[in-house]
Amino acid sequence: MHPPLFRPHPLCQEVVDAFLACHEENPYLKFLGACNDRKYALEVCLKQEKVERRKANAEKARQEKARIKAKMEELKQQGAY
């Protein structure tokens, strides 16, 4: 199962377009595996996109945590905490 394909997938847009085109060209054969190679390529690409998004979110969380920690230290030194 893949996520909705109508929203942008910047790293996988070419693969998404090829997959959707295959489905349009093979309205019945898609059920018999005519688009399986494109579906596999789509799954691999979307997984890589998810891994990169997860790394970016983790880095953003680390930066936010460091910012909050610095702010808490500043408040402790001021005696407000």
Side-chain angles (χ1 to χ4, degrees), residues 61-80:
R62 277 189 219 99
Q63 291 173 355
E64 183 66 16
K65 186 175 181 179
R67 186 188 70 78
I68 291 171
K69 186 175 181 179
K71 186 67 171 174
M72 292 299 288
E73 288 296 324
E74 180 184 324
L75 290 174
K76 278 185 183 180
Q77 291 176 355
Q78 292 176 358

Side-chain angles (χ1 to χ4, degrees), residues 52-67:
E52 290 181 19
R53 190 173 57 244
R54 188 180 307 138
K55 285 180 185 178
N57 287 342
E59 181 59 32
K60 185 178 175 183
R62 277 189 219 99
Q63 291 173 355
E64 183 66 16
K65 186 175 181 179
R67 186 188 70 78

Side-chain angles (χ1 to χ4, degrees), residues 2 4 6 13 25 40 44-45 50 60-61 72 74:
H2 53 77
F6 60 84
Q13 197 57 49
E25 294 168 4
Y40 178 73
V44 169
C45 188
K50 183 176 181 179
K60 185 178 175 183
M72 292 299 288
E74 180 184 324

Side-chain angles (χ1 to χ4, degrees), residues 20-39:
L20 293 175
C22 182
H23 272 229
E24 288 177 13
E25 294 168 4
N26 302 299
Y28 298 108
L29 291 177
K30 69 182 177 185
F31 298 115
L32 300 175
C35 301
N36 283 354
D37 56 339
R38 291 182 183 98
K39 180 165 174 43

